[in-house]
Amino acid sequence: REFAMRAPARALALTETQHDALALAIADAARATDDRARREADAKVLELKLGAIRDNVRASTLGRDVQGSQAGAGSGEFHKYREQRRRERARLEAMEAADAARVETEARARRAAAASEASEAKTAKNRAKRAKAKAKRAAKRRRGGGGATIGEAKADEEEDEEEEEAAALD
């Protein structure tokens, strides 16, 4: 008699990104030529599978095989129960802290990007303003200056040099 191969009843449910990463890792393992590269690729495949298992398995182990403070519990059972409860609380608090830190980091990055963009816009506006003023002074000089004194012409030249240096720094 022939036995048909069938999928296990509890097949691992992968997200699309996990599935893609796993497919790439398996392909890398198949392409590996030397033993070390093959072992590293296999380790990556196993790590991805383990991560998928962790994501799919129920996280809480609280209350499993522990009687707690119920009737019939031995003297050590309650201490085991309290220890499990403490570990579970610590694990949940660590997960919440990591999530809060991730959210804060993302918010900080968004604020920094917005500030950088605003600063760049202001700098570009001021750069355009300086260029316009410089072009206006140059056009005035080409037309004959309109009676500027020697001191004013010298001050304009100094301003032009300063603006050129500032523009070079931008």
Side-chain angles (χ1 to χ4, degrees):
R1 193 187 328 182
E2 274 187 48
F3 291 100
M5 294 285 289
R6 63 180 185 159
R10 292 180 178 250
L12 189 59
L14 298 174
T15 63
E16 189 173 328
T17 54
Q18 287 173 334
H19 184 270
D20 294 344
L22 187 59
L24 287 173
I26 290 171
D28 288 344
R31 279 192 298 256
T33 55
D34 60 353
D35 284 341
R36 182 176 182 168
R38 189 173 296 120
R39 281 194 310 268
E40 288 175 358
D42 287 342
K44 185 175 180 182
V45 169
L46 290 174
E47 185 177 322
L48 289 169
K49 286 181 181 178
L50 181 61
I53 290 170
R54 277 194 209 121
D55 291 346
N56 287 307
V57 173
R58 195 178 93 200
S60 176
T61 59
L62 185 61
R64 189 179 296 170
D65 297 330
V66 175
Q67 288 186 343
S69 61
Q70 299 172 3
S75 61
E77 293 294 319
F78 183 65
H79 296 295
K80 289 179 188 175
Y81 169 75
R82 281 187 8 196
E83 180 63 21
Q84 274 189 341
R85 227 178 46 194
R86 184 193 64 75
R87 276 196 307 259
E88 181 69 8
R89 273 198 310 266
R91 186 184 72 82
L92 292 174
E93 288 171 5
M95 284 173 31
E96 289 172 1
D99 189 45
R102 181 187 54 80
V103 167
E104 179 59 31
T105 302
E106 289 172 358
R108 189 180 304 117
R110 281 194 303 272
R111 287 193 305 267
S116 174
E117 189 175 309
S119 175
E120 184 61 36
K122 184 176 179 181
T123 302
K125 180 180 174 185
N126 288 341
R127 188 182 306 123
K129 205 173 180 183
R130 286 192 307 270
K132 182 178 176 183
K134 184 176 178 180
K136 188 175 180 181
R137 283 193 302 274
K140 188 175 180 182
R141 271 192 229 113
R142 275 186 259 125
R143 284 193 311 253
T149 65
I150 295 174
E152 288 175 351
K154 196 175 216 179
D156 280 347
E157 288 176 14
E158 289 175 2
E159 284 179 17
D160 287 345
E161 290 174 6
E162 289 174 6
E163 288 177 4
E164 287 174 1
E165 289 174 8
L169 292 177
D170 286 338

